[in-house]
Amino acid sequence: MLEVAVAAALFLGVVAYALFGGADFGSGLYDLTAGGTRRGAELRTLIEHSIGPVWEANHVWLIYVLVMWWTGFPASFASAMSTLTLPMLLALLGIVLRGAAFAFRKFAPTVGQARLYGAVFAGASLITPFFLGTVAGAVASGRVPATGRGDLWSSWLNPTSVLGGVIAVGACTFLAGVFLTADAHRAGHDALSASMRRRTIGVGIVTGGVVFAALVPIARDAPTLVDGLTGRAAPLIVLSGLSGTATLALLVNRRLGQARVAAVVAVAAVIAGWGVGQYPWMLVDEVTIADAAGAEATLAALLVVVGLAGVLVLPPLVYLFQLTQTEQWTKH
Amino acid sequence: MSVVLEFGSLDGAMLDLLRSVGTDDPAGLLPAREQMALSLGWHIVLASFGVAWPAMIAVAHWRGTYRDDEVALRLARRWAKVSAVLFAIGAVSGTVLSFEMGLLWPGLMGPFGDVLGLPFAFEGLSFFVEAIFLGLYLYGWGRIPPKRHLLMLVPMAVAGIVGTYCVVAVNAWMNMPVGFRIEGGEVVDVEPWAVLFNSGAVLQFAHMWVAAYMVAGFVVAAVYAVGMLRGRVDRHHRLGFALPFAFASVAAMVQPFIGHVLGLRIAETQPAKLAAFELAIETESPSPLRLGGVLVDGEVRYALDIPRLGSLIARNSFSEPVQGLETIAPADRPPVNITHLAFQSMVGIGTLLAALAVAYWFARWRGRDPLGSRWGLRAAVLAGPLAVVALEAGWIATEVGRQPWVVYGHLRTADAAGDNPQLWVLLAATTVVYGALTTGAVVVLRSMARRWRTGDEELPSPYGPETSIADGGRDRKAT
Ligand code: HDD
Ligand code: HEM
Ligand code: HEM
C-alpha cells in the first residue's frame, strides 16, 4: 500500500510538471513563429512576462519526479536511465539551453543577441517535451526492462514513443496558447489576444487530430497500455476528450478564463489516464509498482516529505501564481 | 582527474594496478568520472552564489529600505538582476546532475537509490521554496510592498542552508556510509533518516556553507575592487566592496578551524585519504607536515618536511602517526598526487585568505584604508578567483581521495559505472555546451555592467520600446 501511495505522489508530480512546465515549454513554438523583430516583439515580451516569474518553480516538479523515482523505485530508475539514455540526454539539453537562453535574452544588450538567445530558447522549448514524450511512450509500451539495459534506439524510436513525443509537444503548445491568449487579453492587448486565439484553436485541432489518428498504431504497439486506457482509465480519457473539445468551443466563444480551466482539465485527465491505465505496472509488462519499490522505511519517509511539501511549498506557490494574475503584475 | 592525465606521475604500484585492473573497468567509467567532475565543478560555483548571495542582497536591501540608503538599494537591485542570470544557470546545471546520477551511475542508484534518496528529497523541497521565493523577489520590485518584498529573501536564504545540508549529507554518507547493511550482496535494513542525519554531515556542511560565503563574497567584492582599480572610487563601489567582503572575511577566518576539525576525523574514517592528503607513504611517528612534493616512482620528491607538525595538525597529538599508504592494499589506494596537491592548494589558499582578511580589518582598525593602495586592491581582486580555486580543490581532494570507492568500503566506483563507451561523445558535447553557457553568461553580465555604468539603470527589453507591455522584472519607472 505504501508503495502505491508513493507512486501516486510521484505521478501527481508528473501531472503537475506536464501542466505547469508544459505550458512554459509550449510557449516556445509561438515565440519561434512570432515573426520578425518588430512584429514579434509584443508576443515575445508577453511570453517573457508570463513565464518569467514562474518557470524556475515550475521546473522543480521535474526534480521532484526524478528524486521520488530514484528514491522510491531505484532499480527501475537505473534501468530506465540506462535504456533511455539518448532521449533523456536530449531532453536535458533542451532544459539547459531553454533555461539559460531565456535568462540571457532578458538582459541581452542588442537585438541581434536577443534574437540568437530567443531562437535557442524557442527551439530548445520544443525539444524537451518531445523527448520526454518518447520516454513516457517507452515506459508505457513495455520497452524498458526491469533491470539492466534495453535497446538504446528501438526503446524510444517506436510508434508509441514517437507519437507520444508529438502529442506531448502538441499538448504543451495548446496549453500555452490558451494561457497566453488569456494573459494577452487581461493585459489589454486585444489584437494579440485575438491572433493567439486563432493560432491556439489551430493547434488544438491539429493536436486532437493527431491523438485520434495515433490510436490505431498505439493500440497495436502497446496493447497493455491500451487495455488500461479503454478499461479502467476510460472515464478519464472520455473526460479529456470532452474538455479538450470544450476548450475549443470556449475559445471560439471568447470565454478565455473558462477555456483555461477546461484546457488544464483536458491535459491533466489524459496524463492521469495514462497513469491509471498502466497501473499496477511501474514499467509496463516488466515490473509492478509493488515489485519495483525500494525499502519500506524510505517509502514512509518519502510520504513525510510529500506531506511537508503540501504544507511548505503549496501555499507560497499559490501565492506566487495569484500575484502573477493580479492587475499589478499584469499591467506593469 | 583522469587516469590518462596522471599517468606520468603515478608511482609504480599504482601503475601496476592500472595495468591489471584498468582493462577490466567498464567502458563507461572514465568518461563518467570526467563528466561528473566537469558538471559538478561547474555547478558548485553557481550553487555557492545561490547559497550565499541572498544574505548579502538582503543586507543591502535592508539598509536601503530601513536606512533610506539609495546606494545600498541600488546595489540590491542590481545584484538581484545579476543573480537572476546566475540562479537560472545554477538551476539548470543542477538538473543536469539529477539526470547524471542515473545516467552515469546506474550501479549506485539501482542498489542505493533508496538509501541516499531521502536527503535528495528534502533538497528538492528546499529547491522548490527557493525557486518560488526567487520568482517573488526578482519580480516583486515595485509590485510587492517594500517591507514584505524584503522578507522574500528570508525563505530563500533558509532554503539555501537546508539544500546545502542535504546534498552535502549525501556526500558525507558516501565518505562514511551508515543506515544499511549488505547481506548476501543485497542492501537491507535501510534507515533513510540515519543517512539524512549521519554524523559526518554537520561538519562537512558547515565547511561547505562557509566556503560558499567565501566564494560569493570574495568574487563580488573583487568585481568592485576591479572598478576601483580603474579609478571608479565612489560610495557605490566602496559599499559594493565592503558588504560582501565583510561576509567573506568572517567566513575566511572561521574556515581554517572548521577545516581542521573536519580533517581530524579522517584518520579514523578514511585512512587512505588522509595518507594521500599528507603524502604519507610510510607510517612515521611523529609524522612530519609535508609541504608540496609529488610522488615519482614511489619516492617523494620536491617536498618540504616540517617535523612533527603533521601529527599535530592531522591528529591533534605530538606522537600519533598518520597511517601510511603502505598499510593500504594497493587496490584500495587513491590517486595520491592529485589528492595531495588539491588538498594542499585548498589549505594553502584558505590560510592565505584568512590572513588577508585579518590584515584588511587590522589595517582598518589602525585607521588606514587598505583600498587606498593599488596592492591592496590587487590582493582583493585576486581573492575572488582564489576562493573559487580553493572550492574546486577541496572537492577534488574529497572526491579523488575517496577513490577507488564511491560508497566508501562498500561500492567501488568501477561497479557503479555503466558500460557505455559513447559517454565520451556526451563529455565532448557537455564541454561545448558548458563552454557556450559560460561565454553567454560572461557576455550578458559584462554588458549589464557596461549599461549600468552609462546610467541605464532599467536595462530595457531588447524588444522594447515599441511594445507597450512593460516587461517583467524590470523596475517600474516612477509612475
Ligand atoms: C573556499 C573554499 C575552502 C577553503 C578556503 C578551505 N576549504 Fe576545505 N573544503 C572545501 C572548501 C574550502 C570544500 C570544497 O567545500 C570541501 C570539499 C567537501 C566539503 O564538504 O568541503 C572541503 C573539504 C575539506 C576536507 C575533506 C573532508 C572529507 O573528505 O571528509 C578537509 C580535511 C578540509 N577541507 C580542510 C580544510 C582546511 C584545514 C582548510 C584551512 C584553511 C580548508 N579546508 C580551507
Ligand atoms: C555533495 C555533492 C556531491 C555528490 C553527491 C557527489 C557524488 C559523486 C559521485 C557519485 C561521483 C562518481 C563516483 C566517484 O568517482 O567517486 C563523484 C565523482 C567526482 N566528483 Fe563528486 N559529488 C559531489 C560534489 C562534488 C563537487 C562539488 C565536485 C567539484 C569539484 C566534485 C568532484 C568530483 C570529482 C573530481 C569526481 C571524480 C573522482 C574520480 O573519479 O577520480 N564532487 N562525485
Ligand atoms: C555540495 C554540493 C552542492 C551544493 C552546495 C548545491 C547547492 C545548490 C543550490 C544552492 C541550488 C540552487 C541554484 C540556484 O538557484 O542558484 C542548486 C540547484 C540544484 N542542484 Fe545543487 N548543489 C550541490 C550539488 C548537487 C548535486 C550533487 C546534485 C544532484 C545530484 C544537485 C542537484 C541540483 C538540482 C537538481 C538543482 C536545481 C533545482 C532547481 O531547479 O532550482 N546539486 N544546488
Side-chain angles (χ1 to χ4, degrees):
Chain A
M1 223 36 239
L2 220 48
E3 66 274 2
V4 177
V6 172
L10 190 162
F11 213 78
L12 211 61
V14 176
V15 174
Y17 185 57
L19 289 178
F20 299 113
D24 292 351
F25 280 109
S27 60
L29 189 66
Y30 303 106
D31 198 289
L32 201 60
T33 55
T37 311
R38 190 172 287 267
R39 199 156 62 82
E42 194 184 14
L43 177 56
R44 295 198 173 102
T45 311
L46 174 74
I47 288 174
E48 186 196 297
H49 192 124
S50 293
I51 73 177
V54 294
W55 76 268
E56 285 193 76
N58 291 341
H59 171 71
V60 183
W61 286 111
L62 175 65
I63 312 299
Y64 167 89
V65 168
L66 290 175
V67 170
M68 291 292 280
W69 189 1
W70 87 45
T71 311
F73 309 93
S76 67
F77 175 76
S79 58
M81 281 301 196
S82 320
T83 304
L84 300 171
T85 308
L86 291 165
M88 290 286 188
L89 284 174
L90 290 164
L92 184 58
L93 183 71
I95 289 169
V96 171
L97 293 181
R98 194 269 309 226
F102 184 68
F104 293 166
R105 176 169 85 174
K106 188 166 152 49
F107 295 113
T110 63
V111 170
Q113 278 189 34
R115 277 172 44 179
L116 172 67
Y117 296 135
V120 174
F121 158 71
S125 296
L126 288 174
I127 302 182
T128 303
F130 176 79
F131 287 105
L132 289 180
T134 66
V135 166
V139 170
S141 62
R143 276 161 170 118
V144 181
T147 54
R149 169 192 290 176
D151 192 273
L152 269 186
W153 296 96
S154 71
S155 57
W156 60 285
L157 287 175
N158 58 67
T160 310
S161 287
V162 174
L163 288 169
V166 174
I167 293 171
V169 174
C172 291
T173 311
F174 183 55
L175 208 51
V178 178
F179 283 16
L180 289 172
T181 307
D183 281 356
H185 176 70
R186 227 161 4 94
H189 296 269
D190 292 330
L192 180 61
S193 175
S195 95
M196 278 305 298
R197 194 172 60 92
R198 276 195 303 279
R199 277 184 254 180
T200 307
I201 293 173
V203 169
I205 291 172
V206 171
T207 307
V210 171
V211 171
F212 209 68
L215 287 179
V216 177
I218 291 182
R220 209 172 299 144
D221 191 56
T224 310
L225 172 72
V226 170
D227 275 354
L229 289 181
T230 52
R232 204 180 313 101
L236 285 165
I237 300 306
V238 172
L239 173 66
S240 174
L242 289 178
S243 31
T245 320
T247 315
L248 287 177
L250 289 165
L251 281 177
V252 171
N253 290 306
R254 298 192 168 72
R255 308 272 281 276
L256 303 178
Q258 289 166 3
R260 279 208 314 200
V261 178
V264 165
V265 172
V267 175
V270 76
I271 309 264
W274 160 40
V276 171
Q278 82 161 54
Y279 180 83
W281 296 108
M282 185 72 207
L283 302 172
V284 170
D285 294 341
E286 288 286 337
V287 61
T288 61
I289 291 173
D291 292 336
E296 288 269 305
T298 306
L299 297 176
L302 278 181
L303 290 179
V304 173
V305 176
V306 173
L308 275 175
V311 180
L312 296 177
V313 171
L314 286 191
L317 196 58
V318 171
Y319 178 58
L320 174 65
F321 280 124
Q322 272 178 353
L323 270 186
T324 55
Q325 303 294 317
T326 55
E327 192 72 354
Q328 265 259 312
W329 285 53
T330 317
K331 288 273 155 73
H332 294 299
Chain B
M1 278 117 274
S2 81
V3 171
V4 182
L5 284 180
E6 71 205 36
F7 224 79
S9 57
L10 279 176
D11 58 289
M14 287 298 292
L15 260 180
D16 289 341
L17 177 69
L18 275 175
R19 287 207 190 93
S20 61
V21 180
T23 45
D24 301 337
D25 281 345
L29 177 62
L30 199 57
R33 283 180 154 172
E34 306 291 329
Q35 174 85 16
M36 198 72 192
L38 170 67
S39 46
L40 268 160
W42 207 80
H43 174 71
I44 192 69
V45 179
L46 294 159
S48 294
F49 284 89
V51 170
W53 214 4
M56 299 174 202
I57 299 177
V59 172
H61 194 163
W62 173 83
R63 260 192 87 96
T65 308
Y66 285 86
R67 298 272 180 90
D68 276 335
D69 183 340
E70 264 309 311
V71 174
L73 196 62
R74 188 173 63 194
L75 279 173
R77 217 179 272 238
R78 289 185 180 179
W79 288 354
K81 282 180 181 154
V82 175
S83 71
V85 175
L86 294 186
F87 292 0
I89 49 184
V92 296
S93 68
T95 311
V96 172
L97 293 176
S98 296
F99 277 85
E100 281 179 352
M101 293 300 276
L103 291 169
L104 305 178
W105 311 108
L108 170 67
M109 297 316 277
F112 290 96
D114 53 350
V115 184
L116 56 72
L118 186 63
F120 278 121
F122 275 99
E123 193 206 14
L125 206 63
S126 49
F127 287 154
F128 240 131
V129 173
E130 187 161 352
I132 293 168
F133 285 93
L134 180 70
L136 285 168
Y137 183 70
L138 292 181
Y139 287 78
W141 289 96
R143 297 188 176 122
I144 299 180
K147 291 188 180 167
R148 196 190 317 158
H149 183 213
L150 174 56
L151 285 180
M152 299 300 157
L153 284 165
V154 176
M156 265 176 84
V158 174
I161 295 175
V162 177
T164 311
Y165 173 84
C166 291
V167 217
V168 174
V170 177
N171 195 266
W173 170 86
M174 293 176 5
N175 284 333
M176 31 200 304
V178 292
F180 68 95
R181 278 189 313 116
I182 294 197
E183 209 173 85
E186 294 283 311
V187 175
V188 294
D189 287 346
V190 176
E191 300 172 50
W193 299 100
V195 176
L196 180 62
F197 298 113
N198 73 75
S199 62
V202 174
L203 260 185
Q204 215 185 312
F205 154 74
H207 195 57
M208 174 64 227
W209 190 53
V210 168
Y213 274 88
M214 289 179 68
V215 167
F218 281 128
V219 169
V220 176
V223 171
Y224 291 91
V226 169
M228 288 190 267
L229 264 180
R230 299 205 175 136
R232 292 189 281 274
V233 186
D234 50 19
R235 173 137 149 62
H236 174 78
H237 280 81
R238 287 188 163 274
L239 189 64
F241 175 86
L243 204 158
F245 194 82
F247 272 97
S249 310
V250 176
M253 288 185 236
V254 294
Q255 188 69 306
F257 297 100
I258 304 179
H260 172 66
V261 181
L262 186 60
L264 287 180
R265 69 156 196 239
I266 296 184
E268 277 122 59
T269 56
Q270 301 177 79
K273 185 188 269 183
L274 183 63
F277 278 180
E278 303 295 332
L279 206 54
I281 304 309
E282 278 151 23
T283 312
E284 292 173 61
S285 179
S287 314
L289 178 64
R290 194 153 278 156
L291 291 181
V294 286
L295 200 59
V296 183
D297 296 332
E299 308 249 341
V300 177
R301 300 260 179 87
Y302 319 113
L304 176 68
D305 283 7
I306 306 176
R308 287 177 185 275
L309 207 55
S311 285
L312 196 64
I313 289 182
R315 307 295 318 267
N316 249 6
S317 145
F318 286 104
S319 54
E320 273 181 74
V322 170
Q323 191 180 333
L325 270 182
E326 92 279 10
T327 60
I328 314 252
D332 291 344
R333 290 179 197 163
V336 179
N337 284 326
I338 292 188
T339 312
H340 171 69
L341 292 176
F343 180 71
Q344 291 217 323
S345 311
M346 167 183 65
V347 177
I349 294 172
T351 314
L352 194 71
L353 291 178
L356 181 77
V358 171
Y360 175 87
W361 294 104
F362 182 75
R364 290 269 308 241
W365 175 65
R366 296 294 303 270
R368 261 174 295 165
D369 180 11
L371 301 180
S373 95
R374 293 192 76 75
W375 283 108
L377 284 171
R378 285 193 187 117
V381 173
L382 202 62
L386 278 181
V388 175
V389 173
L391 177 80
E392 300 286 359
W395 276 108
I396 291 170
T398 322
E399 301 287 313
V400 179
R402 192 182 57 240
Q403 302 308 312
W405 302 101
V406 57
V407 181
Y408 191 71
H410 291 284
L411 180 69
R412 281 175 193 273
T413 311
D415 299 325
D419 208 356
N420 197 347
Q422 289 93 337
L423 286 181
W424 285 112
V425 182
L426 173 63
L427 180 61
T430 314
T431 313
V432 173
V433 172
Y434 277 22
L437 287 193
T438 312
T439 315
V442 170
V443 169
V444 169
L445 293 180
R446 288 188 57 148
S447 90
M448 285 164 81
R450 204 175 48 241
R451 283 179 287 161
W452 277 326
R453 274 205 298 282
T454 56
D456 187 1
E457 203 55 39
E458 308 294 330
L459 306 182
S461 162
Y463 287 109
E466 299 94 342
T467 52
S468 50
I469 305 175
D471 33 354
R474 217 129 296 133
D475 312 319
R476 190 165 39 136
K477 289 220 172 68
T479 42

